[in-house]
Amino acid sequence: MPFDMYSFPRPLTLETTSEGLKRTTDPYASGDNGSIDFGKLMDIKPRPIQTQYSLDERSLNDIISSGLSSPRPPRQMETVKSSECLEALLSPSIRSSVGTPREHHAFEPHPMIADAWEALRKSVVTFRSKPVGTIAALDPTEDSLNYNQVFVRDFVPSALAFLMNGEPEIVKNFLLKALRLQSIEKRIDCFTLGEGVMPASFKVLHDPVRKTDTMIADFGESAIGRVAPVDSGFWWIILLRAYTKSTGDHTLADMADCQRGMRLILTLCLADGFDTFPTLLCADGCCMVDRRMGIYGYPIEIQSLFFMALRSAKSLMKPEGEGKEFLERIDKRLHALSFHMREYFWLDHVQLNNIYRFKTEEYSHTAVNKFNVIPDSIPDWIFDFLPLKGGFFIGNVSPARMDFRWFAIGNFMAILSSLATSEQASAIMDLMEERWEELVGDMPLKVSYPAMEGHEWRIVTGCDPKNTRWSYHNAGSWPVILWMLTAACIKAGRPQIARRAIEQVETRLSKDQWPEYYDGKLGRYVGKQARKFQTWSIAGYLVAKMMLEDPSHLGMIGLEEDRKMKPQLTRSASWTA
């Protein structure tokens, strides 16, 4: 039972006025070491799509490259408009079906942008003549297998690209179809799954004779290891908030069915059980890093997504009826989860030195080594990898075991959800810059670091031939993570990091036909079994590019820090009289 407590396998317009919200400087710049006022940025809404002049990419790049002099004064950025940025990004859907730059543009957009939009549109799936998602990959040289399905997690970057481009219909249809599938009975080998489980994917079958469409959902019964996806429900809630923030349309989230859908998802993951941790217990294979990669327990990716889903649900859920009780439960869990993650999952030089000096077999409330971690179990590589300046959330924490590996998705989503404090977000960015070759390499971006090798690889992965060292989920390089990196960099006030990564991607990704992942220590080789024309590699690049040019898009996916979630350290109530 992969989802039980044991093995959780009216569009807004920003008007330009002489006073008020008029921008006169770079949206990234400030007087405090390059940090940005995220609160103000979150309030900015892109304009509805219009045909207007383009934002000069060269001037924007000059602006965001701190310390670089410009041959001419930078253009004043008055309300960085979605229409201007998207004109520069050449969205084929808005202007023409050809997808070629207009001749009167002051500069030529990168040719990858046109290629990306064309490929993304080819991946669109329709159900009864309405777009409902994008397939995972459209590689003509490989058997489709399940890559011809619409995966919930895979569709998220596609959805963000369409929202940023002023095309919310496909996102709305997807949200409603996934919600409809949530309500059907779900079975795996005669066992019934929880009522709120969201599908991992769905497939649309067209019958040209009867002229009918059929939608078939997969809840894990076809997945490797037969593990239900824990992250699908979280991504659905996160995407519902992104749709609401982008369009200003609250009617979808306010629907009784959507409110019920959120409650069902939360019922599963907020359930009381024997596990007393405030984090979520999950099985290997329940998220993007799957196929037995040794993440069983409390993987950082799931905890970050769990945190963001809780905060997103809190902003969308109506207090009437059952909503009030759920909001109270969300608040309670958020406080416990934020403390637990920031206190026990965070690693920097100071904390590593503390763990190195841990005493073991400690009893009572005075114990410092609360999880009884044996210092000799600390891997040698972490001492050289962790710089004096920088830090990150480690992969996993459980009794007597700490997984010190870096997982990109969990750390970037921690920044976007504000699970990471502003200081921790800066430290993660410091780590990225200090360990660029290890974490980014030649083709961004490592999904994890370092790779498992030799005996460890044989034992943990079961000799998985796809997860050999520096490949696939075993420290392979995934271009899709580029959008998360870009969003996290903007939120942390370090857009130059994202710009550097995007420039690296633009040297090869389109020429290599948009592969799923890259192999090698530096990510130089197209993955042995990587699908070409992988949709989320395409969409991830578009989202990163659009977000860097129009940082107001960050409001869809980013959350401000909740100052109330800084509880004071208190002693356990279990021993207090």
Side-chain angles (χ1 to χ4, degrees):
M1 299 175 63
F3 240 100
D4 64 13
M5 60 191 172
Y6 303 104
S7 60
F8 239 76
R10 47 190 186 244
L12 300 180
T13 304
L14 182 63
E15 299 295 340
T16 306
T17 59
S18 57
E19 56 279 324
L21 291 175
K22 183 174 182 180
R23 291 188 191 173
T24 57
T25 58
D26 171 17
Y28 299 108
S30 78
D32 184 18
N33 297 325
S35 63
I36 57 176
D37 190 339
F38 185 59
K40 293 181 180 178
L41 184 62
M42 296 286 287
D43 293 333
I44 299 172
K45 302 287 185 233
R47 286 188 174 185
I49 302 300
Q50 303 170 8
T51 303
Q52 296 188 16
Y53 60 87
S54 67
L55 178 65
D56 187 299
E57 184 181 56
R58 181 160 52 88
S59 66
L60 177 59
N61 289 342
D62 289 340
I63 291 170
I64 65 174
S65 300
S66 59
L68 294 181
S69 60
S70 175
R72 58 183 171 80
R75 176 182 299 176
Q76 288 186 338
M77 300 182 66
E78 301 176 352
T79 64
V80 181
K81 297 189 286 273
S82 173
S83 57
E84 295 174 349
C85 295
L86 294 174
E87 284 285 321
L89 287 171
L90 181 62
S91 168
S93 69
I94 299 303
R95 297 184 302 283
S96 72
S97 60
V98 180
T100 55
R102 291 189 172 187
E103 294 180 358
H104 68 266
H105 280 215
F107 72 100
E108 291 293 317
H110 198 286
M112 267 183 63
I113 297 168
D115 293 342
W117 275 113
E118 182 181 1
L120 181 59
R121 298 204 181 284
K122 287 181 179 178
S123 71
V124 172
V125 175
T126 60
F127 180 78
R128 297 174 185 172
S129 302
K130 292 184 178 181
V132 293
T134 52
I135 61 174
L138 197 62
D139 190 341
T141 65
E142 297 283 348
D143 293 334
S144 59
L145 298 178
N146 63 349
Y147 282 81
N148 61 2
Q149 298 184 27
V150 180
F151 282 81
V152 173
R153 73 171 72 105
D154 290 43
F155 179 66
V156 170
S158 296
L160 295 176
F162 285 122
L163 288 174
M164 291 178 185
N165 204 33
E167 302 176 63
E169 180 192 5
I170 186 174
V171 182
K172 183 176 183 179
N173 294 339
F174 169 85
L175 289 167
L176 290 173
K177 292 304 177 186
L179 185 65
R180 182 74 178 269
L181 294 171
Q182 182 198 34
S183 64
I184 67 176
E185 185 179 20
K186 301 164 278 287
R187 288 178 176 271
I188 295 181
D189 291 342
C190 299
F191 287 95
T192 301
L193 297 182
E195 189 180 8
V197 177
M198 279 287 182
S201 62
F202 60 82
K203 184 176 182 178
V204 176
L205 300 177
H206 302 284
D207 187 334
V209 177
R210 297 182 180 181
K211 296 182 179 180
T212 59
D213 290 349
T214 305
M215 188 175 287
I216 302 174
D218 175 19
F219 292 91
E221 65 271 22
S222 299
I224 296 172
R226 300 300 187 266
V227 177
V230 176
D231 59 345
S232 289
F234 299 155
W235 280 122
W236 185 87
I237 295 176
I238 293 166
L239 188 56
L240 179 61
R241 177 187 173 273
Y243 170 86
T244 304
K245 292 287 288 185
S246 174
T247 63
D249 176 17
H250 292 264
T251 58
L252 179 62
D254 289 345
M255 286 174 51
D257 287 344
C258 284
Q259 293 287 314
R260 178 176 180 271
M262 283 190 286
R263 291 198 300 270
L264 288 175
I265 295 170
L266 295 175
T267 297
L268 289 172
C269 52
L270 291 175
D272 294 328
F274 294 111
D275 186 357
T276 59
F277 285 9
T279 42
L280 202 59
L281 181 62
C282 301
D284 239 327
C286 65
C287 57
M288 176 180 166
V289 183
D290 62 10
R291 302 191 44 140
R292 289 203 63 195
M293 281 300 298
I295 62 170
Y296 176 83
Y298 311 92
I300 180 62
E301 179 179 333
I302 289 298
Q303 310 314 322
S304 296
L305 289 174
F306 182 30
F307 187 86
M308 177 169 260
L310 288 175
R311 294 203 61 197
S312 298
K314 181 181 177 180
S315 70
L316 298 172
M317 191 165 286
K318 299 165 70 175
E320 294 82 11
E322 296 180 74
K324 182 179 180 181
E325 177 190 350
F326 274 92
L327 288 171
E328 292 173 352
R329 294 173 66 185
I330 288 172
D331 271 332
K332 184 177 179 180
R333 179 59 68 91
L334 282 172
H335 278 81
L337 184 59
S338 61
F339 168 77
H340 188 87
M341 300 301 297
R342 294 169 181 174
E343 183 74 10
Y344 301 126
F345 276 66
W346 180 252
L347 186 72
D348 54 20
H349 181 263
V350 173
Q351 181 64 5
L352 179 60
N353 200 73
N354 291 338
I355 297 171
Y356 178 71
R357 292 170 50 82
F358 269 171
K359 294 179 174 60
T360 59
E361 305 299 328
E362 293 182 298
Y363 295 89
S364 187
H365 61 273
T366 58
V368 175
N369 185 2
K370 295 184 179 181
F371 299 103
N372 197 39
V373 176
I374 310 299
D376 288 345
S377 68
I378 303 174
D380 291 338
W381 65 266
I382 191 65
F383 293 104
D384 295 326
F385 173 77
L386 193 63
L388 292 176
K389 181 182 179 183
F392 66 104
F393 291 99
I394 63 175
N396 216 323
V397 173
S398 56
R401 177 178 180 270
M402 300 182 80
D403 184 348
F404 289 91
R405 284 178 295 173
W406 153 271
F407 288 93
I409 298 173
N411 276 273
F412 296 150
M413 295 308 292
I415 293 175
L416 293 177
S417 65
S418 286
L419 172 59
T421 64
S422 58
E423 295 82 8
Q424 289 172 334
S426 293
I428 293 171
M429 292 294 113
D430 290 337
L431 179 73
M432 291 292 299
E433 291 188 308
E434 287 287 331
R435 296 291 178 257
W436 185 265
E437 184 170 295
E438 292 93 335
L439 302 182
V440 181
D442 289 350
M443 180 52 69
L445 191 69
K446 289 292 180 194
V447 68
S448 62
Y449 182 88
M452 289 189 291
E453 306 181 64
H455 181 69
E456 183 186 22
W457 168 78
R458 287 190 288 271
I459 296 298
V460 175
T461 74
C463 298
D464 186 352
K466 201 168 186 178
N467 275 326
T468 55
R469 62 179 186 172
W470 311 113
S471 179
Y472 202 42
H473 296 108
N474 191 8
S477 297
W478 292 74
V480 63
I481 307 176
L482 186 66
W483 80 261
M484 300 182 198
L485 168 67
T486 302
C489 288
I490 295 172
K491 187 171 184 292
R494 310 278 274 278
Q496 69 277 6
I497 297 177
R499 181 180 171 227
R500 180 182 176 188
I502 291 173
E503 288 175 350
Q504 287 184 218
V505 163
E506 288 178 334
T507 62
R508 286 190 55 188
L509 190 59
S510 180
K511 295 177 183 177
D512 292 338
Q513 298 181 315
W514 310 95
E516 181 182 11
Y517 63 91
Y518 286 80
D519 285 351
K521 209 167 188 178
L522 296 176
R524 289 178 177 172
Y525 308 100
V526 175
K528 284 184 179 180
Q529 300 185 46
R531 288 297 196 279
K532 300 290 185 69
F533 297 99
Q534 185 81 13
T535 304
W536 67 359
S537 296
I538 297 164
Y541 165 71
L542 286 172
V543 172
K545 193 77 171 179
M546 285 190 277
M547 196 174 293
L548 188 61
E549 292 203 358
D550 184 356
S552 65
H553 287 311
L554 182 62
M556 290 186 204
I557 201 70
L559 290 159
E560 292 184 78
E561 185 172 356
D562 187 344
R563 299 295 178 180
K564 297 178 181 178
M565 272 186 274
K566 288 191 174 181
Q568 298 295 319
L569 293 176
T570 57
R571 292 182 174 179
S572 170
S574 62
W575 64 270
T576 303

